[in-house]
């Protein structure tokens, strides 16, 4: 419930407005909570819930969380925090396949990293939907007993055909009018393993003529012989998601169940089911209500677990935490921050209309936060030697560089200047192009935080590549000394002393996809594009850079602005003490803007 730093108030949105209204009307004033999830009888033993609202974030542990999930996390946990409520972390693990402990652990890590917690006093509020299987089974029997559910013997194909169309009502199943006794006995046989997978299915008995397909006798329990990571082989029948989810919410006494728009058509069934179970005395009022918002669609990435799994399994990336992936584990290694995600989610807002968000909005959010948070350092990424021919051989001197231009209280640090320096290759041009104000033969620039130097020429190898640039310094021009600006120059370049530099691996990351909508559209020969066709072949470049010495002893996940280059983070996986590896988080400016 808490965020690491004092959070800024969140932007308003339609869901907040609904909650404000619900609270003003005292909708939950008598809602009881027994300290743990359970049925009506259980909660009846509890006191009035101290949490003003309950929300939940319900991931299915079948993959790593991605940037889209961050939107849902900030929304659900943020609402709980702002309205003195609680947000549950619930693993929606009712589907026995594809779920694993690795995913559970990674999800816990990611939500904590974003700054949220679900513990409330001695209540953990960390729940597994599979712990509700017993109740779900009981709920299904109760529907059967009340004549609201029946066992259908039609094949999947027959069910599909009798479902009807948008303009045509469906047809009642020939098994729809089985007696309660027969339904109960068949359902128990399903549970006891007497029927093959797919042979029988339990359906809610609602209305085959409903204009809403989800109300045309939806399936609620199926036979599926599969080992479950939590319940093992106890069950060979599993509830359908649409049946399980409302029940999970109700057992946990969720007040506002927030989901993405594709569940809008499920809402009538959500309400129908909970009302039937409340009528049977199994669930307590007030029942949870479902609200839908538009999921995040982001350009230049894919936010589907299936595609992310494919990228990882086919080794297009180095793993789930590859800094190019839009997983939260990848974003973290890339140097994106929780505060950056908070700014981003506030900026994009919460609406009921689907839209695409430009990736650059996310990058801008990260830049804005890092601009304030990251100290400045000097790094030469593509080094070439600069020799100051008139500087003494064996000495070095201190120059003073501010740690943060916006935060003078962070002071200055010392960087050493000596006769041989590293400068950026692109800061010297033998034949300057128009408007080039850096080093050129006979030209003058200021060595940032040091002296003005005058270029005297360069050396080249047999291929014509510049190997050394020569210059002379003007001793009376040292930055910070009186009269240092007596010589006016247009250019200002950064440098590190070769003798004092720390050589390090730096990874320059770029977008993983070169197209805004990976996989959309056709090839020239008419074939459909696959998202893999749009992978950016140059999404990472590994270089050896020359860094100022203070960058040698840094901690994993520390982030810095390398002046003129962008924001960089100490890789949390591959760095060792005294030998950090740096990842470029984001450049200083948007290089993708057309
Ligand atoms: P899948 O890719 O398997 O369909 P999912 O993306 O729906 O999975 P879940 O684990 O079911 O993943 O998601 C957990 C929660 O995160 C859900 O409540 C869902 O609404 C929300 N969520 C998932 N993707 C997005 C997204 N792109 N934008 C906003 N919320 C999302
Ligand atoms: Mg889902």
């Amino acid at each position: 419930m808490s965020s690491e730093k004092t959070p800024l108030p969140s932007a308003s949105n339609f869901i907040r407005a609904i909650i404000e209204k619900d609270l003003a009307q005292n909708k939950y004033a008598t809602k009881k909570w027994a300290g743990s999830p359970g049925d009506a009888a259980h909660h009846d033993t509890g006191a009035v819930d101290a949490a003003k609202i309950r929300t939940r974030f319900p991931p299915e542990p079948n993959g790593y969380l991605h940037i889209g999930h961050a939107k849902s996390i900030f929304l659900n946990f943020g609402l709980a925090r702002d309205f003195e409520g609680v947000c549950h972390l619930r693993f929606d693990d009712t589907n026995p396949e594809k779920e694993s402990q690795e995913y559970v652990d990674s999800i816990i890590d990611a939500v904590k990293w974003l700054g949220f917690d679900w513990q409330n006093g001695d209540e953990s509020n960390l729940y597994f939907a599979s712990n509700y299987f017993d109740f779900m089974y009981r709920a299904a029997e109760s529907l059967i007993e009340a004549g609201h559910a029946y066992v259908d013997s039609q094949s999947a194909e027959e069910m599909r055909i009798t479902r009807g169309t948008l303009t045509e009502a469906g047809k009642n199943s020939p098994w729809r009018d089985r007696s309660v006794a027969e339904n109960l006995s068949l359902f128990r046989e399903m549970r006891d393993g007497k029927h093959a997978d797919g042979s029988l299915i339990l359906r809610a008995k609602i209305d085959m003529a409903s204009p809403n397909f989800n109300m045309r006798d939806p399936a609620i329990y199926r036979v599926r012989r599969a080992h479950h990571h939590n319940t093992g082989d106890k069950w060979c029948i599993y509830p359908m998601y649409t049946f399980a989810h409302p029940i999970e919410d109700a057992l946990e006494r969720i007040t506002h169940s927030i989901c993405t728009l594709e569940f809008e058509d499920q809402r009538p069934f959500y309400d129908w089911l909970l009302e039937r179970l409340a009528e049977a005395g199994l669930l307590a009022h007030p029942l949870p209500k479902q609200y839908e918002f538009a999921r995040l669609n982001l350009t230049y990435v894919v936010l589907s677990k299936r595609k992310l799994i494919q990228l990882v399994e086919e080794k297009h990336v180095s793993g789930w935490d590859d800094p190019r992936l839009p997983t939260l584990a990848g974003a973290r290694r890339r140097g994106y921050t929780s505060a950056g995600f908070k700014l981003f989610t506030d900026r994009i807002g919460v609406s009921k209309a689907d839209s695409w968000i430009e990736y650059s909005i996310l990058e801008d959010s990260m830049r804005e936060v890092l601009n304030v948070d990251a100290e400045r350092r000097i790094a030469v990424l593509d080094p070439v030697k600069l020799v100051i021919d008139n500087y003494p051989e064996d000495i070095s001197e201190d120059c003073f560089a501010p740690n943060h231009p916006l935060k003078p209280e962070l002071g200055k640090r010392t960087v050493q200047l000596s006769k041989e320096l590293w400068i950026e290759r692109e800061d010297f041009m033998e034949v300057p192009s128009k408007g080039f104000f850096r080093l050129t033969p006979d030209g003058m620039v200021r060595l940032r935080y040091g002296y003005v130097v005058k270029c005297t020429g360069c050396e080249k190898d047999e291929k014509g590549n510049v190997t050394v640039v020569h210059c002379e310094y003007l001793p009376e021009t040292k930055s910070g000394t009186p009269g240092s600006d007596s010589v006016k120059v247009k250019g200002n370049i950064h440098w590190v002393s070769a003798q004092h530099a720390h050589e390090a691996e730096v990874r320059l990351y770029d977008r993983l996809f070169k197209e805004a909508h990976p996989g959309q559209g056709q090839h020239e020969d008419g074939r459909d594009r696959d998202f893999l066709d749009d992978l950016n072949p140059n999404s990472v470049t590994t270089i050896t850079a020359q860094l100022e010495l203070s960058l040698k002893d840094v901690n994993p996940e520390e982030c810095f602005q390398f002046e003129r280059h962008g924001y960089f983070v100490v890789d949390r996986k591959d760095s060792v003490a005294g030998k950090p590896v740096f990842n470029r988080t984001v450049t200083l400016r948007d290089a993708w803007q057309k």
Side-chain angles (χ1 to χ4, degrees):
M1 275 189 305
S2 59
S3 185
E4 273 172 24
K5 292 180 192 161
T6 317
L8 296 169
S10 304
S12 192
N13 60 56
F14 75 96
I15 297 177
R16 281 181 174 267
I18 290 169
I19 295 176
E20 278 159 12
K21 190 162 156 239
D22 288 344
L23 292 177
Q25 293 175 348
N26 285 323
K27 237 175 144 173
Y28 311 109
T30 57
K31 180 176 73 100
K32 286 182 173 178
W33 165 249
S36 58
D39 61 9
H42 173 70
H43 286 303
D44 205 38
T45 65
V48 168
D49 196 349
K52 295 222 169 109
I53 60 166
R54 284 186 189 266
T55 56
R56 85 284 172 270
F57 173 63
E60 189 178 347
N62 61 351
Y64 278 59
L65 297 184
H66 54 61
I67 296 173
H69 293 113
K71 178 174 178 182
S72 176
I73 292 169
F74 275 100
L75 182 60
N76 281 295
F77 282 93
L79 289 169
R81 188 192 56 210
D82 295 350
F83 288 99
E84 296 172 61
V86 172
C87 179
H88 300 180
L89 177 60
R90 179 201 308 147
F91 288 100
D92 216 324
D93 60 349
T94 53
N95 183 359
E97 289 113 353
K98 299 187 213 146
E99 298 174 352
S100 82
Q101 190 60 40
E102 180 195 351
Y103 295 141
V104 169
D105 295 341
S106 73
I107 290 169
I108 290 178
D109 267 7
V111 182
K112 284 197 170 153
W113 174 68
L114 286 179
F116 295 106
D117 189 6
W118 34 91
Q119 189 84 27
N120 182 34
D122 31 338
E123 283 166 25
S124 78
N125 294 313
L126 174 71
Y127 302 122
F128 288 84
S130 56
N131 287 338
Y132 310 144
F133 280 157
D134 287 333
F135 180 88
M136 289 175 191
Y137 178 81
R138 184 150 70 94
E141 283 209 352
S142 137
L143 289 181
I144 294 172
E145 281 160 0
H148 295 312
Y150 63 98
V151 175
D152 198 342
S153 305
Q154 290 185 107
S155 67
E157 180 59 11
E158 284 167 329
M159 277 179 48
R160 199 185 54 74
I161 295 168
T162 53
R163 246 180 108 216
T165 64
L166 281 177
T167 51
E168 224 179 294
K171 280 202 196 69
N172 284 355
S173 163
W175 311 102
R176 200 173 194 259
D177 294 317
R178 273 175 164 148
S179 69
V180 168
E182 193 187 351
N183 279 319
L184 260 188
S185 120
L186 282 173
F187 186 51
R188 288 176 184 167
E189 286 177 22
M190 284 165 65
R191 175 197 62 191
D192 297 338
K194 302 227 166 75
H195 295 278
D197 284 18
S199 59
L200 294 180
I201 197 151
L202 184 69
R203 297 177 75 177
K205 191 173 181 176
I206 311 178
D207 178 8
M208 288 303 290
S210 170
N212 183 336
F213 273 102
N214 302 294
M215 298 298 269
R216 293 185 185 177
D217 293 8
I220 58 181
Y221 250 103
R222 62 196 165 133
V223 184
R224 187 105 196 81
R225 282 172 180 73
H227 185 83
H228 188 279
H229 78 107
N230 182 21
T231 55
D233 296 317
K234 176 174 173 191
W235 297 96
C236 66
I237 55 172
Y238 289 95
M240 305 301 284
Y241 178 85
T242 48
F243 175 75
H245 200 91
I247 292 180
E248 296 158 21
D249 285 343
L251 293 175
E252 294 180 19
R253 304 238 67 186
I254 299 303
T255 54
H256 301 83
S257 174
I258 300 163
C259 62
T260 43
L261 282 179
E262 65 272 24
F263 293 98
E264 193 167 6
D265 290 345
Q266 292 288 352
R267 189 167 5 108
F269 178 67
Y270 185 105
D271 291 337
W272 180 91
L273 175 65
L274 295 185
E275 275 155 25
R276 296 297 80 75
L277 296 176
E279 278 165 15
L282 291 182
L283 296 176
H285 283 284
L287 296 166
K289 288 280 170 208
Q290 174 182 302
Y291 301 94
E292 307 87 20
F293 72 103
R295 66 191 298 117
L296 171 65
N297 298 309
L298 197 59
T299 58
Y300 294 102
V301 298
V302 293
L303 295 182
S304 129
K305 282 187 200 156
R306 183 182 60 77
K307 289 178 183 164
L308 294 173
I309 288 174
Q310 199 181 341
L311 287 169
V312 173
E313 283 181 352
E314 294 177 5
K315 302 212 178 335
H316 299 289
V317 293
S318 65
W320 282 105
D321 61 356
D322 188 299
R324 292 165 295 176
L325 275 188
T327 53
L328 294 179
R332 177 175 182 177
R333 250 185 104 186
R334 176 77 173 255
Y336 286 12
T337 64
S338 166
F341 278 116
K342 164 93 170 77
L343 183 63
F344 172 67
T345 50
D346 276 349
R347 201 161 271 179
I348 61 176
V350 179
S351 83
K352 274 194 90 81
D354 264 320
S355 67
W356 282 86
I357 301 293
E358 288 297 327
Y359 196 78
S360 57
I361 297 181
L362 177 63
E363 290 180 315
D364 275 342
S365 305
M366 296 301 160
R367 261 186 211 111
E368 264 183 65
V369 166
L370 289 168
N371 182 36
V372 175
D373 289 352
E375 289 201 6
R376 278 35 173 184
R377 293 291 183 271
I378 303 166
V380 176
L381 300 187
D382 183 13
V384 68
K385 269 284 169 63
L386 175 72
V387 178
I388 311 174
D389 289 308
N390 63 341
Y391 197 87
E393 280 286 341
D394 296 322
I395 69 155
S396 64
E397 70 181 287
D398 293 347
C399 295
F400 303 97
N403 286 320
H404 203 305
L406 307 173
K407 298 180 180 172
E409 68 278 13
L410 292 179
K412 293 187 175 187
R413 66 192 187 286
T414 309
V415 289
Q416 298 294 311
L417 179 101
S418 63
K419 187 180 179 79
E420 292 195 5
L421 311 177
W422 294 111
I423 62 167
E424 295 293 345
R425 184 166 289 280
E426 64 165 29
D427 282 346
F428 172 75
M429 277 185 99
E430 199 179 9
V431 184
S433 54
K434 198 161 169 273
F436 183 84
F437 295 124
R438 287 164 275 165
L439 268 187
T440 59
D442 294 325
M444 290 207 290
V445 292
R446 173 169 295 282
L447 297 175
R448 197 158 201 183
Y449 315 124
Y451 295 95
V452 171
V453 295
K454 181 175 194 300
C455 186
T456 54
C458 69
E459 295 172 37
K460 290 191 271 191
D461 64 15
E462 60 278 14
K463 290 195 203 119
N465 297 317
V466 174
T467 51
V468 182
V469 180
H470 288 274
C471 70
E472 287 178 351
Y473 81 119
L474 280 55
E476 70 284 8
T477 60
K478 188 171 180 188
S479 289
T481 60
S484 62
D485 54 0
S486 57
V487 183
K488 296 268 182 264
V489 290
K490 282 193 175 158
N492 185 317
I493 66 173
H494 67 273
W495 51 274
V496 290
S497 161
Q499 180 197 337
H500 303 93
H502 176 65
E503 197 174 270
E505 178 176 332
V506 174
R507 298 166 185 168
L508 304 176
Y509 290 107
D510 201 346
R511 294 181 184 175
L512 185 57
F513 292 96
K514 55 186 182 341
E515 296 296 331
H517 302 282
Q520 226 173 63
Q522 269 101 33
H523 288 277
E524 274 166 21
D525 61 8
R527 274 179 310 125
D528 279 340
R529 294 188 80 82
D530 182 81
F531 77 105
L532 296 175
D533 298 335
D534 293 326
L535 278 169
N536 174 3
N538 302 314
S539 55
V540 59
T541 312
T542 301
I543 58 169
T544 302
Q546 299 291 342
L547 315 179
E548 67 169 82
L549 204 50
S550 74
L551 288 170
K552 183 173 177 218
D553 293 305
V554 288
N555 299 311
E557 301 204 79
E558 263 192 274
C559 48
F560 298 99
Q561 186 197 94
F562 289 178
E563 292 190 14
R564 294 174 62 204
H565 288 303
Y567 297 96
F568 291 74
V569 68
V570 181
D571 188 84
R572 63 195 293 254
K573 202 163 182 180
D574 297 336
S575 299
V576 291
K579 215 167 176 293
V581 172
F582 289 88
N583 297 331
R584 181 169 71 195
T585 306
V586 64
T587 52
L588 283 186
R589 272 169 292 278
D590 184 1
W592 283 72
Q593 211 146 47
K594 308 230 164 71

